[in-house]
Amino acid sequence: MANPDDRSDNAAKLQDAKQNTIENLEESEHYLDEHSEELNPQEAQTLAKKNEGRRNAISSFENEIADESESNSNE
Protein backbone atom coordinates (compact mmCIF):
# COMPACT_ATOMS: atom_id res chain seq x y z
CA MET A 1 0.00 0.00 0.00
CA ALA A 2 1.29 3.47 -0.90
CA ASN A 3 2.13 5.95 1.80
CA PRO A 4 -0.29 8.86 2.13
CA ASP A 5 0.85 12.17 0.65
CA ASP A 6 1.88 14.21 3.70
CA ARG A 7 2.54 17.79 2.66
CA SER A 8 2.17 19.33 6.10
CA ASP A 9 5.82 20.35 6.30
CA ASN A 10 6.33 21.47 2.69
CA ALA A 11 6.19 25.17 3.56
CA ALA A 12 8.88 24.70 6.24
CA LYS A 13 11.10 22.74 3.85
CA LEU A 14 10.66 25.39 1.16
CA GLN A 15 11.49 28.10 3.70
CA ASP A 16 14.71 26.26 4.61
CA ALA A 17 15.65 25.94 0.93
CA LYS A 18 14.89 29.64 0.39
CA GLN A 19 17.07 30.61 3.36
CA ASN A 20 19.95 28.45 2.09
CA THR A 21 19.66 30.08 -1.33
CA ILE A 22 19.68 33.56 0.24
CA GLU A 23 22.82 32.67 2.19
CA ASN A 24 24.53 31.34 -0.94
CA LEU A 25 23.58 34.50 -2.84
CA GLU A 26 24.92 36.75 -0.10
CA GLU A 27 28.18 34.80 0.16
CA SER A 28 28.67 34.90 -3.60
CA GLU A 29 27.95 38.63 -3.78
CA HIS A 30 30.40 39.26 -0.94
CA TYR A 31 33.01 37.13 -2.72
CA LEU A 32 32.49 39.08 -5.95
CA ASP A 33 32.78 42.39 -4.09
CA GLU A 34 36.02 41.33 -2.42
CA HIS A 35 37.71 39.48 -5.28
CA SER A 36 36.30 40.76 -8.56
CA GLU A 37 39.68 42.19 -9.60
CA GLU A 38 41.32 38.78 -9.12
CA LEU A 39 38.77 36.84 -11.19
CA ASN A 40 38.94 36.50 -14.90
CA PRO A 41 35.89 38.00 -16.67
CA GLN A 42 34.39 34.60 -17.46
CA GLU A 43 34.47 33.52 -13.79
CA ALA A 44 32.86 36.77 -12.70
CA GLN A 45 30.19 36.40 -15.38
CA THR A 46 29.51 32.80 -14.32
CA LEU A 47 29.03 33.87 -10.70
CA ALA A 48 26.79 36.76 -11.77
CA LYS A 49 24.62 34.34 -13.79
CA LYS A 50 24.40 31.95 -10.85
CA ASN A 51 23.30 34.84 -8.65
CA GLU A 52 20.62 35.77 -11.16
CA GLY A 53 19.37 32.19 -11.00
CA ARG A 54 19.42 32.34 -7.21
CA ARG A 55 17.30 35.51 -7.24
CA ASN A 56 14.80 33.79 -9.53
CA ALA A 57 14.78 30.73 -7.27
CA ILE A 58 14.11 32.89 -4.20
CA SER A 59 11.12 34.44 -5.93
CA SER A 60 9.85 30.98 -6.90
CA PHE A 61 10.31 29.72 -3.34
CA GLU A 62 8.27 32.67 -2.06
CA ASN A 63 5.42 31.83 -4.45
CA GLU A 64 5.53 28.14 -3.54
CA ILE A 65 5.60 28.90 0.18
CA ALA A 66 2.53 31.12 -0.22
CA ASP A 67 0.75 28.36 -2.18
CA GLU A 68 1.62 25.71 0.40
CA SER A 69 0.60 27.93 3.31
CA GLU A 70 -2.71 28.67 1.63
CA SER A 71 -3.25 25.00 0.85
CA ASN A 72 -2.54 24.00 4.46
CA SER A 73 -4.89 26.64 5.82
CA ASN A 74 -7.71 25.27 3.64
CA GLU A 75 -7.36 21.77 5.08
Side-chain angles (χ1 to χ4, degrees):
M1 178 176 226
N3 291 333
D5 187 17
D6 180 11
R7 301 175 135 210
S8 61
D9 64 347
N10 278 5
K13 288 179 180 177
L14 289 166
Q15 185 63 41
D16 287 342
K18 176 186 163 192
Q19 187 58 42
N20 290 338
T21 303
I22 290 170
E23 290 170 9
N24 289 339
L25 174 63
E26 290 172 349
E27 287 178 25
S28 178
E29 287 178 337
H30 178 73
Y31 182 84
L32 278 171
D33 288 344
E34 295 293 317
H35 303 285
S36 61
E37 302 86 30
E38 301 165 18
L39 298 173
N40 72 46
Q42 186 173 355
E43 288 175 318
Q45 183 179 25
T46 298
L47 286 174
K49 281 190 159 204
K50 284 185 178 185
N51 286 345
E52 182 180 330
R54 289 176 175 127
R55 286 185 194 90
N56 291 335
I58 291 166
S59 177
S60 295
F61 282 132
E62 290 169 348
N63 292 334
E64 289 183 54
I65 290 166
D67 288 347
E68 286 295 328
S69 296
E70 183 179 318
S71 175
N72 286 340
S73 67
N74 290 333
E75 292 179 356

